Amino acid sequence: MTRGSVLPLLLLGLSGALRAHHEDLTVREACKAGFSEEGYTALISPNVVEGEKLLKVKFSSCVDTKGTQYETNSLDFKVRADGTVFATRELKIPSEQVAFTVTARERQSAEQWDAMVRLLVAQTSSSSAHSEHKKGKTVALDPSQLPKDTLLPWPQQHQSSGGLRRQKRDWVIPPINVPENSRGPFPQQLVRIRSDKDNDIPIRYSITGVGADQPPMEVFNIDSMSGRMYVTRPMDREERASYHLRAHAVDMNGNKVENPIDLYIYVIDMNDNRPEFINQVYNGSVDEGSKPGTYVMTVTANDADDSTTANGMVRYRIVTQTPQSPSQNMFTINSETGDIVTVAAGLDREKVQQYTVIVQATDMEGNLNYGLSNTATAIITVTDVNDNPPEFTTSTFAGEVPENRIETVVANLTVMDRDQPHSPNWNAVYRIISGDPSGHFSVRTDPVTNEGMVTVVKAVDYELNRAFMLTVMVSNQAPLASGIQMSFQSTAGVTISVTDVNEAPYFPSNHKLIRLEEGVPAGTALTTFSAVDPDRFMQQAVRYSKLSDPANWLHINTSNGQITTAAVLDRESLYTKNNVYEATFLAADNGIPPASGTGTLQLYLIDINDNAPQLLPKEAQICERPGLNAINITAADADMDPNIGPYVFELPFIPTTVRKNWTITRLNGDYAQLSLRILYLEAGVYDVPIIVTDSGNPPLSNTSVIKVKVCPCDENGDCTTVGAVAAAGLGTGAIVAILICIVILLTMVLLFVVWMKRREKERHTKQLLIDPEDDVRDNILKYDEEGGGEEDQDYDLSQLQQPEAMEHVLSKAPGVRRVDERPVGAEPQYPVRPVVPHPGDIGDFINEGLRAADNDPTAPPYDSLLVFDYEGSGSTAGSVSSLNSSSSGDQDYDYLNDWGPRFKKLADMYGGGEED
């Protein structure tokens, strides 16, 4: 049964097991299991003894070679576990080949592989072969024993009535064996084949197959006429172990004369390859103290020669062992498998940590005289086991610790352990087994030095324990090896002395609470707030002082801590929260250095009726007629229950007008209503006294005055504006006068704003180089003096410019100009003034010029048209009086009055008639 036919059935039946071993199958998929050859051939003698080794098959397993089982379909031949084929009984082999099948099975997967084994009888003569051939029996020939002209005749065919038919049993052409590495000469004849029909017709012979007409080409060739076959070069079995050729016989026309016959050529192995180790250096390990026979490692050497012969059968042996301690033969090796195991006891890592073993592999089944050898190095590391318990370096240790100190290392415990450092077999674990019932100490392990650090984890008190006697045991993280007991030195004593330090006094009843009534007089003794000094073995005095007293109400005696009041205690004070007043005191001793502690005293003040009630609101308003509305009054008291409400509200008997004009009605314990008793009360402000009394024991009363404004009301019961003013105590005349004054004031403010805006507008329309108030040109408004004309004015004529004198402006740097200078560049095109002016033309001319100036991007901030209001005798432009009017006679300038106050002044100047 082939592998392909069995595998689907096995997969179907063992699907569950295959899923459980999915990872293992994944690894096996990368491995290709099977026999090294499809078929094995060996030459044997006719007489075989029982148990004789005939050949060896080689099977590669992807799981474990020890899990492979071999079977055969022959009763005469069996296969051992190492693949050796042997005879089960004494046999006499006839002069023919023996063929049977060898099956290899894996125990885990149940898969199987098959290989064919042929055993060829070595002794057969040509004559006997020919006679056996005539009888139709299988012939086994050894070509190396045949003459060079030995014939291998074609199988005979018999004639029948139905035509030619092949014999039921064909001839079996024995394999042709060719030794490798032959020295020639080449070509070397192997055998001659011929057909019986070559006596009748000429026949041409040829061979095909790998080694003939397929790569490698022309390893073999044949004489087409004689049928002699040759090998043309030396053979290498390691390159190719066998060849399968087919011999053909045709006539001269190429017609087939005989059916092709198979020729098997086997390359006989020579011992021309040394064993080669897979690794030159192998690394293995074994625990110290291991018993003899403990597996260590496996070394493997492969020989390229035929493993079924002695040429490829490798045997192993140990050549040297270093060091040779405690014995020179600490290990042995299985000569066939290469397994190295311990053979002697005494492996001790603390003495020898590593062994170097030289292993030799020799073929020819280990025959050192004829076999080829090679060596490899096996490094065997002795791994550590916990066979050495940790031991303290001394039996006692000592340390010292101040009291009240924690997380302090007080002693270091040193141990010795001969196991491998920084491993679980070496790492120490410490445990306090006695002497510390309260758990003041713990022993931690230093990971670097492996020392035990005795650490204070709970503060110790000198007044309670002056010294500790601890017993500490040490062990390893890993348990001790079997048969190893703890050492006596694994336990040590640790003496720890406690030193006294000055401890701070403390108040036993810290946050002490005292309940008392408020209002106790100054000097009242409250309590003794004393502290305790824990240093019983030190003669020290404790002094007291105040640390925090927000209201400065308390005093403490510095010697004994007695608390007395220094002022009257007031529960309603801002320093009291939730009826509790809190003060903090300090207690300090006179030790070196001094130590101090704090304590808090809380005074819970019980309320007494020491605050009279008050009325709200203090001011209110009401309509002058009753029944429209009333005033709601609320009583409030700084005290607490039961010294507050319900309150009693009443009006006094004096003055009598109060009860005559007003009435008060109690709504509930805290609220009342004040309203008018009479039908009408004149508008005004009235002071209404009200007496309110709380419910304390004894009760307290208070007279509160409410300022009530009585005013006329509208239909909704709300005071009118006039009524509110009237209620303030002013008459109707005064109210009217006030309203008139308000109207006049608003009018004056409006006129002032209008005048300021107009003035601002005028300043923007005509601005000069200097402030308008300092402008010399405003002299025209002065009528109280006359001068001598233009010559009596001290003007700077250089301020004026002429259109033709612009060189100094053009030569200025950009941006350096006066505000009244003419712009540099293109000037706006203003409309030409007509020669004969018309009253309407002047206005049009000015408006058009104004529009042109507004739209001119190069115009200066001030219109240059306004800077020509001065004319002197020294002006190069001449006098405007030289301008001749186109009309003679007087002009009518009354239309200038319609242009505003400035042109009105101009009309008065020109149209006022002749001067006297």
Side-chain angles (χ1 to χ4, degrees):
M1 185 180 294
T2 61
R3 175 186 177 185
S5 62
V6 175
L7 185 57
L9 295 177
L10 293 175
L11 292 175
L12 181 60
L14 300 175
S15 59
L18 291 175
R19 283 193 300 269
H21 298 280
H22 172 72
E23 182 178 356
D24 182 59
L25 289 177
T26 304
V27 177
R28 294 181 59 189
E29 288 178 357
C31 173
K32 186 176 182 181
F35 286 98
S36 61
E37 303 287 344
E38 294 181 358
Y40 297 88
T41 303
L43 297 177
I44 62 175
S45 62
N47 298 317
V48 179
V49 299
E50 181 180 356
E52 180 180 351
K53 298 179 181 179
L54 305 178
L55 76 160
K56 186 176 183 180
V57 297
K58 186 174 183 181
F59 179 79
S60 298
S61 175
C62 295
V63 180
D64 187 2
T65 56
K66 296 181 181 180
T68 304
Q69 293 180 334
Y70 296 99
E71 297 178 358
T72 66
N73 59 354
S74 174
L75 298 176
D76 299 330
F77 303 98
K78 297 297 180 182
V79 183
R80 293 192 177 97
D82 61 351
T84 301
V85 179
F86 65 97
T88 58
R89 60 187 178 87
E90 185 176 351
L91 298 174
K92 186 173 181 65
I93 306 299
S95 299
E96 58 184 13
Q97 74 170 359
V98 177
F100 55 90
T101 301
V102 176
T103 301
R105 284 191 177 89
E106 289 185 347
R107 295 179 180 177
Q108 294 185 3
S109 63
E111 290 185 272
Q112 68 179 33
W113 290 262
D114 297 333
M116 181 64 68
V117 175
R118 291 184 177 89
L119 301 178
L120 305 178
V121 179
Q123 55 181 17
T124 302
S125 63
S126 61
S127 60
S128 62
H130 183 69
S131 64
E132 293 296 330
H133 168 69
K134 293 296 184 180
K135 295 177 182 178
K137 296 182 179 180
T138 300
V139 180
L141 298 178
D142 184 0
S144 63
Q145 299 176 0
L146 298 178
K148 293 188 179 298
D149 58 350
T150 299
L151 297 179
L152 296 180
W154 235 272
Q156 295 289 327
Q157 292 178 341
H158 297 272
Q159 188 75 27
S160 67
S161 61
L164 292 176
R165 63 178 178 86
R166 183 180 297 273
Q167 285 185 200
K168 291 184 179 180
R169 187 177 184 186
D170 283 345
W171 292 98
V172 179
I173 305 299
I176 304 171
N177 295 322
V178 180
E180 66 172 335
N181 303 325
S182 174
R183 297 184 179 180
F186 297 98
Q188 183 178 4
Q189 181 177 332
L190 297 179
V191 72
R192 178 186 177 189
I193 61 176
R194 63 178 293 272
S195 173
D196 293 341
K197 297 180 181 180
D198 61 356
N199 296 325
D200 301 329
I201 58 174
I203 295 177
R204 299 181 63 87
Y205 301 96
S206 63
I207 56 175
T208 60
V210 176
D213 59 345
Q214 299 178 21
M217 307 286 287
E218 298 182 353
V219 177
F220 305 98
N221 58 26
I222 190 172
D223 189 324
S224 61
M225 300 304 296
S226 64
R228 289 183 174 87
M229 190 173 68
Y230 301 90
V231 60
T232 62
R233 60 189 183 194
M235 308 296 290
D236 187 357
R237 193 203 67 85
E238 288 71 41
E239 180 179 348
R240 190 174 184 88
S242 63
Y243 296 87
H244 178 198
L245 304 178
R246 305 200 78 183
H248 306 269
V250 298
D251 58 14
M252 293 302 176
N253 295 325
N255 298 319
K256 182 174 68 173
V257 176
E258 300 283 1
N259 290 328
I261 61 173
D262 294 324
L263 299 177
Y264 292 94
I265 301 173
Y266 292 98
V267 182
I268 300 175
D269 182 50
M270 305 293 290
N271 190 18
D272 56 346
N273 290 279
R274 291 179 179 274
E276 295 290 341
F277 283 95
I278 297 177
N279 300 314
Q280 194 59 36
V281 177
Y282 291 84
N283 291 284
S285 61
V286 61
D287 291 340
E288 62 175 328
S290 295
K291 297 179 180 179
T294 302
Y295 173 81
V296 179
M297 62 194 306
T298 299
V299 296
T300 303
N302 295 326
D303 197 318
D305 294 325
D306 189 358
S307 60
T308 63
T309 65
N311 297 334
M313 294 181 180
V314 179
R315 298 294 182 265
Y316 303 93
R317 72 184 186 95
I318 293 178
V319 179
T320 59
Q321 168 196 308
T322 305
Q324 297 180 359
S325 174
S327 170
Q328 62 180 357
N329 296 317
M330 294 297 296
F331 306 96
T332 185
I333 188 170
N334 187 305
S335 62
E336 295 186 3
T337 63
D339 294 339
I340 299 177
V341 296
T342 59
V343 72
L347 290 174
D348 190 353
R349 190 203 65 85
E350 287 70 40
K351 296 180 180 179
V352 178
Q353 298 182 4
Q354 192 178 83
Y355 289 90
T356 301
V357 176
I358 305 299
V359 179
Q360 183 182 55
T362 307
D363 57 17
M364 298 301 290
E365 297 183 287
N367 191 321
L368 299 177
N369 295 325
Y370 304 103
L372 302 178
S373 301
N374 217 334
T375 60
T377 302
I379 298 177
I380 302 173
T381 302
V382 181
T383 56
D384 183 50
V385 296
N386 194 13
D387 57 347
N388 294 281
E391 297 177 352
F392 285 105
T393 56
T394 182
S395 59
T396 59
F397 296 88
E400 185 178 85
V401 58
E403 65 174 335
N404 303 324
R405 190 80 60 85
I406 61 173
E407 298 300 328
T408 301
V409 178
V410 298
N412 289 332
L413 313 181
T414 56
V415 295
M416 179 185 65
D417 196 323
R418 292 188 296 273
D419 291 321
Q420 184 176 358
H422 304 290
S423 68
N425 299 329
W426 178 82
N427 295 335
V429 177
Y430 299 88
R431 182 166 56 94
I432 299 175
I433 58 178
S434 65
D436 186 22
S438 300
H440 291 283
F441 303 94
S442 70
V443 185
R444 302 170 184 173
T445 304
D446 189 319
V448 178
T449 63
N450 214 27
E451 294 180 353
M453 300 179 294
V454 182
T455 308
V456 181
V457 295
K458 182 179 177 182
V460 296
D461 190 351
Y462 175 82
E463 285 71 27
L464 298 179
N465 299 98
R466 298 188 181 185
F468 291 87
M469 296 294 295
L470 308 180
T471 302
V472 181
M473 175 180 287
V474 63
S475 58
N476 291 125
Q477 286 183 352
L480 288 174
S482 178
I484 305 299
Q485 301 296 327
M486 291 293 294
S487 171
F488 175 75
Q489 295 181 343
S490 296
T491 304
V494 182
T495 302
I496 300 177
S497 301
V498 182
T499 59
D500 190 17
V501 297
N502 186 22
E503 300 176 81
Y506 67 93
F507 291 88
S509 56
N510 202 358
H511 280 71
K512 185 175 182 180
L513 179 65
I514 301 176
R515 299 175 62 91
L516 73 159
E517 288 186 350
E518 63 173 330
V520 296
T524 302
L526 301 181
T527 184
T528 299
F529 195 35
S530 59
V532 177
D533 192 344
D535 296 315
R536 294 179 297 166
F537 302 99
M538 296 183 182
Q539 301 298 325
Q540 297 180 151
V542 179
R543 308 289 291 177
Y544 302 93
S545 61
K546 286 196 304 183
L547 192 62
S548 173
D549 184 10
N552 201 22
W553 286 347
L554 304 177
H555 172 75
I556 187 169
N557 189 302
T558 59
S559 300
N560 57 18
Q562 186 180 29
I563 305 295
T564 57
T565 59
V568 178
L569 306 183
D570 186 8
R571 189 196 68 84
E572 291 75 31
S573 171
L574 297 177
Y575 300 104
T576 302
K577 297 180 181 179
N578 298 325
N579 303 330
V580 176
Y581 178 77
E582 192 172 270
T584 306
F585 299 93
L586 182 70
D589 60 19
N590 57 352
I592 301 175
S596 61
T598 59
T600 301
L601 179 65
Q602 294 178 331
L603 302 180
Y604 185 88
L605 301 179
I606 302 173
D607 184 47
I608 63 174
N609 193 16
D610 58 344
N611 291 279
Q614 299 291 330
L615 290 181
L616 295 175
K618 299 296 184 183
E619 294 182 357
Q621 65 181 15
I622 194 172
C623 294
E624 59 188 4
R625 297 185 183 276
L628 295 179
N629 52 16
I631 300 173
N632 292 327
I633 300 173
T634 303
D637 197 328
D639 293 326
M640 60 183 298
D641 190 61
N643 298 318
I644 52 176
Y647 299 98
V648 177
F649 303 90
E650 58 183 346
L651 296 175
F653 291 95
I654 299 175
T656 59
T657 56
V658 175
R659 285 180 172 266
K660 178 183 177 182
N661 297 337
W662 305 91
T663 180
I664 189 167
T665 304
R666 177 178 170 181
L667 299 179
N668 57 27
D670 296 332
Y671 301 98
Q673 273 191 348
L674 179 66
S675 60
L676 285 174
R677 178 184 293 273
I678 59 176
L679 297 178
Y680 173 78
L681 185 62
E682 184 180 358
V685 179
Y686 298 88
D687 292 335
V688 181
I690 300 175
I691 301 173
V692 58
T693 306
D694 60 22
S695 299
N697 186 18
L700 291 181
S701 298
N702 182 34
T703 301
S704 297
V705 178
I706 299 178
K707 192 177 293 294
V708 180
K709 297 179 181 179
V710 180
C711 60
C713 296
D714 54 17
E715 63 276 5
N716 297 324
D718 298 329
C719 284
T720 61
T721 304
V722 177
V725 177
L730 298 177
T732 305
I735 295 174
V736 174
I738 292 175
L739 294 177
I740 293 175
C741 291
I742 293 174
V743 172
I744 293 175
L745 180 61
L746 293 175
T747 305
M748 292 178 64
V749 172
L750 181 62
L751 292 176
F752 179 76
V753 171
V754 172
W755 178 78
M756 288 296 295
K757 288 185 177 181
R758 186 170 183 178
R759 180 180 176 87
E760 185 68 22
K761 184 177 181 181
E762 291 177 356
R763 291 181 62 184
H764 280 289
T765 55
K766 185 179 180 181
Q767 284 188 342
L768 301 178
L769 296 173
I770 58 177
D771 191 88
E773 297 181 359
D774 298 332
D775 195 350
V776 296
R777 292 169 293 181
D778 290 343
N779 290 338
I780 190 171
L781 301 178
K782 295 181 180 181
Y783 304 102
D784 56 345
E785 64 178 5
E786 292 184 359
E790 296 177 349
E791 286 80 0
D792 64 347
Q793 303 295 328
D794 187 11
Y795 293 124
D796 184 5
L797 299 182
S798 63
Q799 299 294 327
L800 300 178
Q801 300 179 8
Q802 298 181 16
E804 63 273 8
M806 299 294 293
E807 292 80 2
H808 69 287
V809 177
L810 296 173
S811 62
K812 288 185 179 181
V816 183
R817 295 176 57 202
R818 294 208 316 264
V819 294
D820 60 341
E821 289 180 354
R822 297 179 62 186
V824 180
E827 298 238 350
Q829 299 298 322
Y830 297 102
V832 181
R833 184 175 181 179
V835 179
V836 181
H838 189 271
D841 295 338
I842 296 177
D844 296 336
F845 175 80
I846 294 176
N847 292 329
E848 291 176 4
L850 180 60
R851 285 195 298 269
D854 291 340
N855 297 325
D856 181 21
T858 62
Y862 299 101
D863 192 356
S864 59
L865 294 176
L866 301 178
V867 190
F868 51 81
D869 57 338
Y870 167 73
E871 187 177 32
S873 60
S875 175
T876 57
S879 176
V880 295
S881 61
S882 61
L883 299 176
N884 295 324
S885 176
S886 60
S887 62
S888 60
D890 296 333
Q891 298 283 341
D892 185 6
Y893 296 103
D894 292 337
Y895 63 88
L896 296 178
N897 295 328
D898 300 332
W899 292 2
R902 293 184 179 272
F903 289 95
K904 182 178 180 181
K905 186 180 295 292
L906 185 61
D908 293 339
M909 294 174 60
Y910 284 89
E914 295 180 0
E915 297 179 359
D916 294 335

